[in-house]
Amino acid sequence: MSPADGAGDPGTLVIHAPASGERVGEVAITTPDEVRAAIARARSAYEMWRSVPLEERCDRLLRFRDALVDRADELIEMLVKETGKPRQEALLHEVMPIVDTFTYLSRRAPVILQPKELPLHLFKHKKSVVHYVPRGVVGVISPWNFPFTIPMGDVAAALFTGSAVIVKPSEVTPLIMKLTKQIWDSTGLPADLFQVVYGRGDVGSALIDGGVQKIVFTGGVATGRKVAAACGAALVPCVMELGGKAPLIACADCDLERTARAIVWGGFANSGQVCVSVERVFAHREIYDALVERVKALTLELRQGNPERDEVEVGAMTFAPQMDVADAHVKDALGKGATLVTGGQRHQPAGAPGQFYAPTVLADCTGDMMVMRAEIFGPIVPIARVDSEEEAITRANDSHLGLNAYVFTRDRKRGEEIALRLEAGSVLVNDVLTNHATPEAPFGGVKDSGFGRVHGDDALRDMAEKRHVMTERIAAPAHDPFWYPYDAKRFKLLRKGLTTLFAGNGLVQRIASIF
Ligand code: NAD
C-alpha cells in the first residue's frame, strides 16, 4: 500500500511506514473553506506579530527552538517511521539543521534585517533607506523527501521576518508537520502564527489562491511549472526550488578515497531521494577504473534495512513509485550498454517487509541514457569516463537542471576555477550535500531547477517586503525646480546640465570619485 493511501476515507490521509508497512497515523484533509479560514486567522496573527519588535520576536522564537530540542527524540522517531530514513539522517539532516537555523537567525536576523541606507550618487540632498518589513502570510508547499528540514527552514525565515506562515506538507509525509505543529502549540506562541494544512495538490492550489503574500515551493519541475503559473495568475511572488541532477567531476588528481566515499554517501544518503544527490559522475580516465572499484567496494559494505536500527546506513524508499522509476533507469541504461557494477534491483532485507531498492552503481554510462539525463531520485549512481576536465565540464553542463554540482581535486584553486564554469546554484569542492545545512549560504537552482533562493542573508531579506523611505536632508524649497511649470528656459538649462553632468569625465563622475 502506498504510504499516502486514504484507506477508504477520501477525507483522510493514512500513512504507512515505508520500511515495515505498519500504520503510522493519519490526518484529515483540509477543505478549501478551512484553507481560507486558516489564511484569515494567520492574517490576524500577523497583525499582532508584525508589531512585536524584531529582537523580541527572536527571543520568543527560541522557546520553539528549545521545545524542538526537548522533543527531538519524538521528531526523529516520526521521521524514521514516516520516511524510512536512518535515525542518524533524521537527526543530522532534518532536526539538527533546523535547531541550528532558529539559533542562528535569533542572533543574526536583527543584523541582516537592519535598515540599509543607500549612498545615493547624485541626490546627495536626499536620505534613502530600505526597511525590511513583514510581508503578511507566507505559504510553504513542500515535498516528501525532507519533510521537516525543507519546510521548517522557510517557516523560520517567515517567522523571524514578522510574517505568519502556513505549511502544506506533501500528502506522502504529513505526520511530521502534525507533530511539529503540536510542539509549536505547546510553547504558548500564538497558534495561528504557524499553521499546517493537509492534502494533495488541490490544497496547495487553494493556499496559493487564498490570498497569501508569498509562496515558497519545493518539489518537482512539472509541478513547479503549474505552481509558478498559478502564482503568476494570482500575482503572488514565489520561490521555486525544483529538481536536481548534480554532476560530480572527479579530476585525475583527486583524493581517490575521499572521492569514492563522497560518491557513495552523496548518492545513497536518504536512498538517493535528495535533490542534490550525486546523480552523474564524470571520472577522468586516469583514475576511472580505480574509482569504480573503490565505489563498488564501499557500496557493498553498506547495510540496508529497518532504519530504526542504528547500524543501518540505507533505509527504505519513502515513495513507492520511485521503485519503478529506479527500475526504468537501470533497464534503460543496461539496454544502452552500461555495466552493472552492483545492485540494480529491489531488495528485501531480513525483518523489513517494506519498500527497498539496492544501492546501485552503473559504469560506462553515456549521455544518451536516461540515467544521465533525467532526475533519478533513487539509490543509483551512474559513472561515465571522460578524457579531460574540459570534457567533464561540458558534459556536466549538458543538462536542463542546475541545482548542485561537485568537483573533486587536490588543487583547490583549480577546483574553484572549475566551479565557476559549472551551471549550478551551488558548487562544492571536495564535498557533497552539506551546503543545504549552512543557513548562511544561499540555496537554489538555475535553469529548470528553479529560481529564487532559500537560506542566506538575501533570502531572509526577500522573505520580508522592502520598503524604501526617502526624506530630505535639508528642508526642500516650496518651489521645487524640477516640478511645474515647464518652460523653454528651464529646458535649455537642464539640457546644458545633461552635458555638464554626464559627458566624458563630467560632474557626476567627479562627484562619485570624491564620495
Ligand atoms: P511534487 O512536485 O510531486 O510535490 C511537491 C508538493 O507540491 C507536494 O506538497 C504536493 O502536494 C504539492 N502540489 C502538487 N500539485 C500542486 C499544485 N498544482 N499546486 C500546488 N501544490 C501542488 O514533488 P515531490 O514528489 O513531493 O518531491 C520530489 C521533487 O522535489 C523532486 O523533483 C526533487 O528534486 C524536488 N526537491 C527539490 C528540492 C530543492 O530544494 N530544490 C528539495 C527537495 C526536493
Side-chain angles (χ1 to χ4, degrees), residues 142-144 150 168 171 217-220 223 241-243 275 375 443:
S142 56
W144 46 261
I150 287 178
K168 204 299 279 173
E171 59 273 35
F217 172 81
T218 308
T223 317
E241 292 287 340
L242 310 179
C275 55
E375 189 178 38
F443 182 85

Side-chain angles (χ1 to χ4, degrees), residues 19-298:
S20 66
E22 85 179 85
R23 185 187 163 109
V24 188
E26 61 181 57
V27 286
I29 291 177
T30 312
T31 65
D33 280 348
E34 288 167 343
V35 173
R36 277 190 290 276
I39 295 172
R41 288 197 307 275
R43 181 103 212 144
S44 303
Y46 150 73
E47 295 295 350
M48 174 282 301
W49 189 238
R50 67 186 299 189
S51 64
V52 176
L54 177 54
E55 280 75 8
E56 200 181 322
R57 287 205 294 264
C58 291
D59 279 352
R60 289 201 205 171
L61 287 171
L62 282 179
R63 290 218 297 267
F64 180 51
R65 188 275 314 264
D66 292 344
L68 292 176
V69 175
D70 285 348
R71 294 178 65 178
D73 291 334
E74 282 174 70
L75 289 165
I76 292 165
E77 194 190 334
M78 178 58 82
L79 282 161
V80 170
K81 276 209 159 53
E82 193 176 28
T83 67
K85 68 180 66 192
R87 277 156 54 85
Q88 190 163 317
E89 292 182 11
L91 168 63
L92 271 185
H93 304 175
E94 299 260 22
V95 176
M96 191 97 82
I98 290 308
V99 166
D100 177 50
T101 295
F102 274 82
T103 308
Y104 170 77
L105 287 179
S106 69
R107 192 169 42 81
R108 281 289 298 169
V111 179
I112 298 167
L113 298 174
Q114 68 192 347
K116 188 174 158 200
E117 185 167 347
L118 305 175
L120 301 182
H121 77 289
L122 193 56
F123 288 13
K124 296 292 179 195
H125 59 299
K126 296 282 188 191
K127 183 179 166 199
S128 237
V129 180
V130 176
H131 297 262
Y132 300 96
V133 301
R135 208 175 256 278
V137 181
V138 174
V140 175
I141 301 174
S142 56
W144 46 261
N145 60 334
F146 288 92
F148 183 74
T149 200
I150 287 178
M152 291 312 291
D154 305 325
V155 165
L159 293 173
F160 277 99
T161 52
S163 286
V165 62
I166 300 178
V167 177
K168 204 299 279 173
S170 167
E171 59 273 35
V172 182
T173 52
L175 297 178
I176 186 67
M177 274 302 109
K178 187 178 173 185
L179 173 60
T180 307
K181 172 66 173 144
Q182 285 166 6
I183 295 175
W184 171 271
D185 289 344
S186 75
T187 62
L189 285 155
D192 295 336
L193 205 51
F194 165 45
Q195 298 180 69
V196 186
V197 294
Y198 302 97
R200 301 184 175 82
D202 53 333
V203 179
S205 296
L207 187 60
I208 297 166
D209 294 336
V212 295
Q213 278 67 53
K214 178 156 179 153
I215 287 286
V216 185
F217 172 81
T218 308
V221 174
T223 317
R225 288 188 202 283
K226 289 187 211 157
V227 170
C231 289
L235 288 180
V236 176
C238 59
V239 173
M240 288 287 133
E241 292 287 340
L242 310 179
K245 187 75 192 156
L248 183 150
I249 296 178
C251 298
D253 71 341
C254 69
D255 175 335
L256 198 89
E257 184 64 16
R258 182 165 175 86
T259 309
R261 286 183 180 276
I263 291 169
V264 171
W265 185 66
F268 302 135
N270 207 33
S271 289
Q273 303 163 117
V274 187
C275 55
V276 291
S277 275
V278 173
E279 289 225 354
R280 296 176 289 158
V281 176
F282 297 103
H284 195 281
R285 62 182 155 72
E286 285 175 25
I287 47 123
Y288 178 86
D289 290 333
L291 187 68
V292 171
E293 267 317 299
R294 192 62 192 132
V295 167
K296 176 183 178 181
L298 289 167

Side-chain angles (χ1 to χ4, degrees), residues 354-510:
Q355 51 212 37
F356 294 85
Y357 203 90
T360 298
V361 180
L362 295 164
D364 304 318
C365 293
T366 49
D368 58 333
M369 295 172 186
M370 191 166 108
V371 80
M372 295 296 279
R373 307 212 73 83
E375 189 178 38
I376 306 168
F377 231 57
I380 301 174
V381 170
I383 309 181
R385 181 197 307 259
V386 290
D387 289 330
S388 66
E389 282 170 12
E390 283 306 312
E391 183 190 344
I393 294 167
T394 304
R395 289 177 66 178
N397 285 339
D398 179 21
S399 172
H400 69 112
L401 297 168
L403 195 54
N404 260 22
Y406 309 115
V407 185
F408 281 72
T409 169
R410 283 200 162 88
D411 182 344
R412 289 196 291 271
K413 189 164 175 296
R414 178 82 187 118
E416 285 179 47
E417 283 164 10
I418 294 174
L420 288 174
R421 294 178 59 196
L422 291 175
E423 294 162 3
S426 300
V427 186
L428 278 58
V429 179
N430 296 327
D431 199 1
V432 288
L433 311 189
T434 45
N435 54 313
H436 195 270
T438 49
E440 300 88 342
F443 182 85
V446 299
K447 302 198 255 187
D448 288 354
S449 289
F451 50 80
R453 293 290 180 267
V454 295
H455 305 177
D457 295 6
D458 289 342
L460 192 74
R461 292 190 199 105
D462 279 350
M463 189 56 99
E465 201 69 80
K466 291 175 189 68
R467 182 161 305 151
H468 172 218
V469 177
M470 193 185 243
T471 48
E472 74 255 47
R473 291 190 190 279
I474 44 169
H479 188 171
D480 196 300
F482 296 108
W483 297 357
Y484 296 144
Y486 301 153
D487 58 47
K489 192 172 153 208
R490 193 165 309 175
F491 178 80
K492 215 168 148 191
L493 201 70
L494 288 170
R495 176 62 191 84
K496 205 169 159 199
L498 178 83
T499 307
T500 314
L501 287 170
F502 299 106
N505 192 20
L507 204 54
V508 170
Q509 199 97 325
R510 273 178 274 148

